[in-house]
mmCIF file of all heavy atoms in Angstrom:
data_model
loop_
_atom_site.group_PDB
_atom_site.id
_atom_site.type_symbol
_atom_site.label_atom_id
_atom_site.label_comp_id
_atom_site.label_asym_id
_atom_site.label_seq_id
_atom_site.Cartn_x
_atom_site.Cartn_y
_atom_site.Cartn_z
ATOM 1 N N LYS A 355 0.846 -1.193 0.000
ATOM 2 C CA LYS A 355 0.000 0.000 0.000
ATOM 3 C C LYS A 355 0.887 1.250 0.000
ATOM 4 O O LYS A 355 0.931 2.000 0.972
ATOM 5 C CB LYS A 355 -0.932 -0.005 1.216
ATOM 6 C CG LYS A 355 -1.946 -1.140 1.207
ATOM 7 C CD LYS A 355 -2.867 -1.075 2.422
ATOM 8 C CE LYS A 355 -3.893 -2.194 2.397
ATOM 9 N NZ LYS A 355 -4.787 -2.145 3.593
ATOM 10 N N PRO A 356 1.588 1.472 -1.095
ATOM 11 C CA PRO A 356 2.571 2.566 -1.122
ATOM 12 C C PRO A 356 1.966 3.962 -1.090
ATOM 13 O O PRO A 356 2.661 4.921 -0.768
ATOM 14 C CB PRO A 356 3.331 2.320 -2.425
ATOM 15 C CG PRO A 356 2.378 1.557 -3.288
ATOM 16 C CD PRO A 356 1.600 0.697 -2.351
ATOM 17 N N ALA A 357 0.676 4.087 -1.420
ATOM 18 C CA ALA A 357 0.061 5.414 -1.490
ATOM 19 C C ALA A 357 -0.599 5.832 -0.182
ATOM 20 O O ALA A 357 -1.242 6.885 -0.133
ATOM 21 C CB ALA A 357 -0.962 5.463 -2.625
ATOM 22 N N ALA A 358 -0.435 5.050 0.877
ATOM 23 C CA ALA A 358 -1.006 5.427 2.168
ATOM 24 C C ALA A 358 -0.249 6.633 2.720
ATOM 25 O O ALA A 358 0.977 6.629 2.807
ATOM 26 C CB ALA A 358 -0.927 4.257 3.144
ATOM 27 N N THR A 359 -0.981 7.670 3.095
ATOM 28 C CA THR A 359 -0.345 8.898 3.575
ATOM 29 C C THR A 359 0.054 8.763 5.042
ATOM 30 O O THR A 359 -0.557 8.016 5.800
ATOM 31 C CB THR A 359 -1.282 10.096 3.403
ATOM 32 O OG1 THR A 359 -2.531 9.811 4.052
ATOM 33 C CG2 THR A 359 -1.534 10.379 1.929
ATOM 34 N N PRO A 360 1.065 9.510 5.475
ATOM 35 C CA PRO A 360 1.541 9.407 6.852
ATOM 36 C C PRO A 360 0.622 10.130 7.838
ATOM 37 O O PRO A 360 -0.235 10.932 7.444
ATOM 38 C CB PRO A 360 2.914 10.074 6.798
ATOM 39 C CG PRO A 360 2.794 11.071 5.687
ATOM 40 C CD PRO A 360 1.884 10.434 4.677
ATOM 41 N N LEU A 361 0.844 9.863 9.110
ATOM 42 C CA LEU A 361 0.134 10.538 10.190
ATOM 43 C C LEU A 361 1.123 11.341 11.032
ATOM 44 O O LEU A 361 2.322 11.064 11.029
ATOM 45 C CB LEU A 361 -0.581 9.518 11.076
ATOM 46 C CG LEU A 361 -1.612 8.597 10.426
ATOM 47 C CD1 LEU A 361 -2.133 7.589 11.451
ATOM 48 C CD2 LEU A 361 -2.746 9.392 9.801
ATOM 49 N N GLY A 362 0.604 12.297 11.770
ATOM 50 C CA GLY A 362 1.410 13.033 12.741
ATOM 51 C C GLY A 362 2.067 14.292 12.221
ATOM 52 O O GLY A 362 2.564 15.103 13.011
ATOM 53 N N ILE A 363 2.107 14.475 10.891
ATOM 54 C CA ILE A 363 2.610 15.723 10.306
ATOM 55 C C ILE A 363 1.398 16.649 10.224
ATOM 56 O O ILE A 363 0.583 16.563 9.307
ATOM 57 C CB ILE A 363 3.243 15.500 8.926
ATOM 58 C CG1 ILE A 363 4.335 14.432 9.006
ATOM 59 C CG2 ILE A 363 3.789 16.816 8.383
ATOM 60 C CD1 ILE A 363 5.519 14.786 9.873
ATOM 61 N N ASN A 364 1.266 17.524 11.206
ATOM 62 C CA ASN A 364 0.005 18.245 11.391
ATOM 63 C C ASN A 364 -0.121 19.512 10.559
ATOM 64 O O ASN A 364 -1.204 19.809 10.047
ATOM 65 C CB ASN A 364 -0.180 18.567 12.870
ATOM 66 C CG ASN A 364 -0.345 17.312 13.705
ATOM 67 O OD1 ASN A 364 -0.932 16.336 13.249
ATOM 68 N ND2 ASN A 364 0.205 17.311 14.907
ATOM 69 N N ASN A 365 0.951 20.261 10.436
ATOM 70 C CA ASN A 365 0.916 21.494 9.654
ATOM 71 C C ASN A 365 2.213 21.636 8.864
ATOM 72 O O ASN A 365 3.301 21.407 9.407
ATOM 73 C CB ASN A 365 0.749 22.717 10.556
ATOM 74 C CG ASN A 365 -0.591 22.746 11.263
ATOM 75 O OD1 ASN A 365 -1.601 23.164 10.697
ATOM 76 N ND2 ASN A 365 -0.612 22.292 12.504
ATOM 77 N N VAL A 366 2.076 22.005 7.601
ATOM 78 C CA VAL A 366 3.238 22.248 6.745
ATOM 79 C C VAL A 366 3.023 23.586 6.050
ATOM 80 O O VAL A 366 1.974 23.815 5.441
ATOM 81 C CB VAL A 366 3.424 21.135 5.699
ATOM 82 C CG1 VAL A 366 4.648 21.425 4.826
ATOM 83 C CG2 VAL A 366 3.561 19.773 6.372
ATOM 84 N N MET A 367 4.013 24.443 6.166
ATOM 85 C CA MET A 367 3.938 25.782 5.584
ATOM 86 C C MET A 367 5.055 25.942 4.565
ATOM 87 O O MET A 367 6.201 25.578 4.821
ATOM 88 C CB MET A 367 4.090 26.817 6.705
ATOM 89 C CG MET A 367 4.031 28.253 6.260
ATOM 90 S SD MET A 367 4.119 29.397 7.688
ATOM 91 C CE MET A 367 2.478 29.188 8.376
ATOM 92 N N VAL A 368 4.716 26.479 3.395
ATOM 93 C CA VAL A 368 5.685 26.746 2.336
ATOM 94 C C VAL A 368 5.603 28.221 1.978
ATOM 95 O O VAL A 368 4.532 28.727 1.619
ATOM 96 C CB VAL A 368 5.415 25.876 1.097
ATOM 97 C CG1 VAL A 368 6.390 26.203 -0.031
ATOM 98 C CG2 VAL A 368 5.498 24.390 1.449
ATOM 99 N N ASN A 369 6.730 28.910 2.117
ATOM 100 C CA ASN A 369 6.766 30.343 1.838
ATOM 101 C C ASN A 369 5.654 31.099 2.557
ATOM 102 O O ASN A 369 5.035 32.019 2.012
ATOM 103 C CB ASN A 369 6.713 30.595 0.327
ATOM 104 C CG ASN A 369 7.900 29.996 -0.400
ATOM 105 O OD1 ASN A 369 9.049 30.215 -0.012
ATOM 106 N ND2 ASN A 369 7.647 29.214 -1.439
ATOM 107 N N GLY A 370 5.396 30.680 3.804
ATOM 108 C CA GLY A 370 4.432 31.370 4.642
ATOM 109 C C GLY A 370 2.991 30.971 4.460
ATOM 110 O O GLY A 370 2.107 31.487 5.157
ATOM 111 N N GLU A 371 2.715 30.022 3.555
ATOM 112 C CA GLU A 371 1.334 29.599 3.294
ATOM 113 C C GLU A 371 1.178 28.122 3.664
ATOM 114 O O GLU A 371 1.997 27.287 3.286
ATOM 115 C CB GLU A 371 0.983 29.804 1.820
ATOM 116 C CG GLU A 371 -0.438 29.402 1.457
ATOM 117 C CD GLU A 371 -0.779 29.672 0.003
ATOM 118 O OE1 GLU A 371 -0.187 30.602 -0.585
ATOM 119 O OE2 GLU A 371 -1.630 28.947 -0.564
ATOM 120 N N LEU A 372 0.105 27.814 4.389
ATOM 121 C CA LEU A 372 -0.144 26.431 4.770
ATOM 122 C C LEU A 372 -0.528 25.600 3.556
ATOM 123 O O LEU A 372 -1.384 25.991 2.758
ATOM 124 C CB LEU A 372 -1.257 26.343 5.805
ATOM 125 C CG LEU A 372 -0.906 26.747 7.239
ATOM 126 C CD1 LEU A 372 -2.163 26.762 8.109
ATOM 127 C CD2 LEU A 372 0.131 25.799 7.839
ATOM 128 N N ILE A 373 0.114 24.426 3.435
ATOM 129 C CA ILE A 373 -0.309 23.455 2.423
ATOM 130 C C ILE A 373 -0.906 22.215 3.093
ATOM 131 O O ILE A 373 -1.617 21.443 2.458
ATOM 132 C CB ILE A 373 0.846 23.057 1.484
ATOM 133 C CG1 ILE A 373 1.952 22.297 2.232
ATOM 134 C CG2 ILE A 373 1.399 24.263 0.763
ATOM 135 C CD1 ILE A 373 2.912 21.563 1.329
ATOM 136 N N VAL A 374 -0.583 22.020 4.377
ATOM 137 C CA VAL A 374 -1.178 20.960 5.189
ATOM 138 C C VAL A 374 -1.661 21.612 6.483
ATOM 139 O O VAL A 374 -0.906 22.323 7.134
ATOM 140 C CB VAL A 374 -0.175 19.836 5.506
ATOM 141 C CG1 VAL A 374 -0.780 18.814 6.477
ATOM 142 C CG2 VAL A 374 0.284 19.145 4.228
ATOM 143 N N GLU A 375 -2.912 21.370 6.826
ATOM 144 C CA GLU A 375 -3.488 21.927 8.040
ATOM 145 C C GLU A 375 -4.219 20.830 8.795
ATOM 146 O O GLU A 375 -5.058 20.128 8.224
ATOM 147 C CB GLU A 375 -4.450 23.058 7.708
ATOM 148 C CG GLU A 375 -5.009 23.764 8.939
ATOM 149 C CD GLU A 375 -5.851 24.974 8.579
ATOM 150 O OE1 GLU A 375 -6.284 25.075 7.397
ATOM 151 O OE2 GLU A 375 -6.089 25.818 9.459
ATOM 152 N N ASN A 376 -3.849 20.672 10.063
ATOM 153 C CA ASN A 376 -4.441 19.620 10.893
ATOM 154 C C ASN A 376 -4.348 18.250 10.216
ATOM 155 O O ASN A 376 -5.280 17.450 10.262
ATOM 156 C CB ASN A 376 -5.898 19.954 11.223
ATOM 157 C CG ASN A 376 -6.019 21.230 12.041
ATOM 158 O OD1 ASN A 376 -5.185 21.509 12.899
ATOM 159 N ND2 ASN A 376 -7.052 22.022 11.761
ATOM 160 N N GLY A 377 -3.231 18.008 9.567
ATOM 161 C CA GLY A 377 -2.967 16.709 8.965
ATOM 162 C C GLY A 377 -3.581 16.487 7.601
ATOM 163 O O GLY A 377 -3.403 15.414 7.016
ATOM 164 N N GLU A 378 -4.272 17.480 7.055
ATOM 165 C CA GLU A 378 -4.947 17.323 5.773
ATOM 166 C C GLU A 378 -4.341 18.242 4.724
ATOM 167 O O GLU A 378 -4.092 19.431 4.980
ATOM 168 C CB GLU A 378 -6.444 17.633 5.909
ATOM 169 C CG GLU A 378 -7.197 16.694 6.831
ATOM 170 C CD GLU A 378 -7.279 15.275 6.297
ATOM 171 O OE1 GLU A 378 -7.273 15.109 5.051
ATOM 172 O OE2 GLU A 378 -7.366 14.334 7.104
ATOM 173 N N LEU A 379 -4.116 17.698 3.532
ATOM 174 C CA LEU A 379 -3.628 18.505 2.425
ATOM 175 C C LEU A 379 -4.674 19.545 2.052
ATOM 176 O O LEU A 379 -5.863 19.243 1.960
ATOM 177 C CB LEU A 379 -3.332 17.618 1.219
ATOM 178 C CG LEU A 379 -2.786 18.328 -0.023
ATOM 179 C CD1 LEU A 379 -1.332 18.701 0.175
ATOM 180 C CD2 LEU A 379 -2.950 17.452 -1.262
ATOM 181 N N ILE A 380 -4.239 20.783 1.837
ATOM 182 C CA ILE A 380 -5.138 21.839 1.381
ATOM 183 C C ILE A 380 -5.119 21.847 -0.145
ATOM 184 O O ILE A 380 -4.151 22.314 -0.763
ATOM 185 C CB ILE A 380 -4.716 23.208 1.932
ATOM 186 C CG1 ILE A 380 -4.682 23.185 3.465
ATOM 187 C CG2 ILE A 380 -5.662 24.304 1.437
ATOM 188 C CD1 ILE A 380 -4.137 24.453 4.082
ATOM 189 N N ILE A 381 -6.137 21.281 -0.739
ATOM 190 C CA ILE A 381 -6.212 21.221 -2.195
ATOM 191 C C ILE A 381 -6.269 22.646 -2.743
ATOM 192 O O ILE A 381 -7.056 23.479 -2.289
ATOM 193 C CB ILE A 381 -7.450 20.427 -2.647
ATOM 194 C CG1 ILE A 381 -7.455 19.021 -2.052
ATOM 195 C CG2 ILE A 381 -7.516 20.375 -4.181
ATOM 196 C CD1 ILE A 381 -6.314 18.156 -2.493
ATOM 197 N N GLY A 382 -5.448 22.927 -3.716
ATOM 198 C CA GLY A 382 -5.447 24.253 -4.316
ATOM 199 C C GLY A 382 -4.406 25.189 -3.750
ATOM 200 O O GLY A 382 -4.118 26.227 -4.344
ATOM 201 N N SER A 383 -3.822 24.840 -2.613
ATOM 202 C CA SER A 383 -2.750 25.668 -2.070
ATOM 203 C C SER A 383 -1.491 25.420 -2.895
ATOM 204 O O SER A 383 -1.013 24.291 -2.982
ATOM 205 C CB SER A 383 -2.503 25.325 -0.598
ATOM 206 O OG SER A 383 -1.488 26.134 -0.058
ATOM 207 N N ALA A 384 -0.955 26.481 -3.491
ATOM 208 C CA ALA A 384 0.152 26.304 -4.447
ATOM 209 C C ALA A 384 1.215 27.376 -4.286
ATOM 210 O O ALA A 384 1.514 28.141 -5.209
ATOM 211 C CB ALA A 384 -0.397 26.313 -5.868
ATOM 212 N N PRO A 385 1.854 27.438 -3.113
ATOM 213 C CA PRO A 385 2.888 28.456 -2.898
ATOM 214 C C PRO A 385 4.282 28.059 -3.364
ATOM 215 O O PRO A 385 5.243 28.798 -3.163
ATOM 216 C CB PRO A 385 2.870 28.632 -1.380
ATOM 217 C CG PRO A 385 2.512 27.265 -0.866
ATOM 218 C CD PRO A 385 1.545 26.698 -1.883
ATOM 219 N N GLY A 386 4.426 26.872 -3.960
ATOM 220 C CA GLY A 386 5.744 26.404 -4.372
ATOM 221 C C GLY A 386 6.404 27.351 -5.369
ATOM 222 O O GLY A 386 5.753 27.860 -6.285
ATOM 223 N N GLN A 387 7.707 27.561 -5.193
ATOM 224 C CA GLN A 387 8.464 28.458 -6.048
ATOM 225 C C GLN A 387 9.650 27.715 -6.669
ATOM 226 O O GLN A 387 10.164 26.751 -6.094
ATOM 227 C CB GLN A 387 8.993 29.643 -5.239
ATOM 228 C CG GLN A 387 7.907 30.558 -4.701
ATOM 229 C CD GLN A 387 7.138 31.252 -5.818
ATOM 230 O OE1 GLN A 387 7.755 31.772 -6.763
ATOM 231 N NE2 GLN A 387 5.821 31.259 -5.731
ATOM 232 N N PRO A 388 10.101 28.144 -7.847
ATOM 233 C CA PRO A 388 11.263 27.489 -8.470
ATOM 234 C C PRO A 388 12.546 27.765 -7.706
ATOM 235 O O PRO A 388 12.800 28.888 -7.276
ATOM 236 C CB PRO A 388 11.313 28.103 -9.870
ATOM 237 C CG PRO A 388 10.633 29.429 -9.724
ATOM 238 C CD PRO A 388 9.571 29.230 -8.687
ATOM 239 N N ILE A 389 13.352 26.733 -7.515
ATOM 240 C CA ILE A 389 14.716 26.874 -7.005
ATOM 241 C C ILE A 389 15.611 26.775 -8.240
ATOM 242 O O ILE A 389 15.672 25.736 -8.898
ATOM 243 C CB ILE A 389 15.057 25.771 -5.984
ATOM 244 C CG1 ILE A 389 14.021 25.746 -4.853
ATOM 245 C CG2 ILE A 389 16.477 25.981 -5.448
ATOM 246 C CD1 ILE A 389 13.921 27.014 -4.043
ATOM 247 N N ARG A 390 16.288 27.871 -8.543
ATOM 248 C CA ARG A 390 16.963 27.947 -9.840
ATOM 249 C C ARG A 390 18.126 28.937 -9.776
ATOM 250 O O ARG A 390 18.044 29.963 -9.108
ATOM 251 C CB ARG A 390 15.955 28.398 -10.909
ATOM 252 C CG ARG A 390 16.428 28.324 -12.341
ATOM 253 C CD ARG A 390 15.284 28.702 -13.280
ATOM 254 N NE ARG A 390 15.633 28.541 -14.692
ATOM 255 C CZ ARG A 390 14.798 28.786 -15.709
ATOM 256 N NH1 ARG A 390 13.554 29.191 -15.450
ATOM 257 N NH2 ARG A 390 15.186 28.608 -16.960
ATOM 258 N N ARG A 391 19.187 28.632 -10.456
ATOM 259 C CA ARG A 391 20.287 29.583 -10.599
ATOM 260 C C ARG A 391 19.921 30.636 -11.645
ATOM 261 O O ARG A 391 18.997 30.457 -12.435
ATOM 262 C CB ARG A 391 21.563 28.853 -11.006
ATOM 263 C CG ARG A 391 22.113 27.924 -9.934
ATOM 264 C CD ARG A 391 23.239 27.048 -10.453
ATOM 265 N NE ARG A 391 24.307 27.813 -11.067
ATOM 266 C CZ ARG A 391 24.488 27.964 -12.365
ATOM 267 N NH1 ARG A 391 23.672 27.379 -13.227
ATOM 268 N NH2 ARG A 391 25.483 28.667 -12.824
#
């Protein structure tokens, strides 16, 4: 069951915007930025 999501990661913030809140992915949250030279 490789697609089973983990537990215990409650909040994840990227560039100041939550993408995971209370353990749930926020669909539509898209603060990712390119890392580029």
Side-chain angles (χ1 to χ4, degrees):
K355 295 181 179 179
T359 55
L361 301 176
I363 305 296
N364 295 325
N365 294 278
V366 180
M367 180 176 286
V368 177
N369 298 310
E371 180 177 332
L372 284 173
I373 66 164
V374 174
E375 185 174 18
N376 297 323
E378 297 293 331
L379 181 75
I380 302 174
I381 303 297
S383 181
Q387 294 295 314
I389 305 299
R390 189 176 185 179
R391 293 170 54 259

